[in-house]
Amino acid sequence: MTAAFDDMPLQDLVRYLTEAEQRDLRPVVLRLVTSHEPSDVAAERPLPRRHLSFAGSIEAEPDFASTSQEVLRRELGGGS
């Protein structure tokens, strides 16, 4: 079965993982990427810009603000 996945790009393979598996994989990928010089990464491919969307925040759950802060902190690398 693995032969079917051998030639697939990594991005496509990751899409087959569950969210929990992707969370487990993230620290490994970050460790590998951070071992490269920033100029190496930038030369390969510019990182996509992220646009924050506030659509739906008007009718959000009561704990939306704290959840949003946790997500932003995790994704943008902020400290506690």
Side-chain angles (χ1 to χ4, degrees), residues 11 19 26 41-42 53 56 62 66 80:
Q11 305 90 295
E19 288 185 33
R26 185 176 179 80
V41 175
S53 172
S66 61
S80 299

Side-chain angles (χ1 to χ4, degrees):
M1 182 70 173
T2 60
F5 299 109
D6 284 348
D7 295 327
M8 290 180 71
L10 183 59
Q11 305 90 295
D12 295 337
L13 291 171
V14 171
R15 291 186 188 119
Y16 284 101
L17 301 175
T18 65
E19 288 185 33
E21 291 168 331
Q22 289 181 20
R23 279 192 302 274
D24 292 343
L25 180 63
R26 185 176 179 80
V28 176
V29 173
L30 288 174
R31 181 176 46 82
L32 293 172
V33 170
T34 56
S35 69
H36 296 277
E37 292 293 321
S39 59
D40 294 342
V41 175
E44 246 181 71
R45 178 174 55 168
L47 297 174
R49 290 188 65 151
R50 293 185 180 184
H51 299 282
L52 298 177
S53 172
F54 295 97
S57 62
I58 295 171
E59 297 180 19
E61 297 291 325
D63 64 343
F64 179 75
S66 61
T67 303
S68 298
Q69 288 175 347
E70 291 170 18
V71 170
L72 289 171
R73 195 172 291 121
R74 182 181 69 235
E75 292 299 317
L76 300 177
S80 299

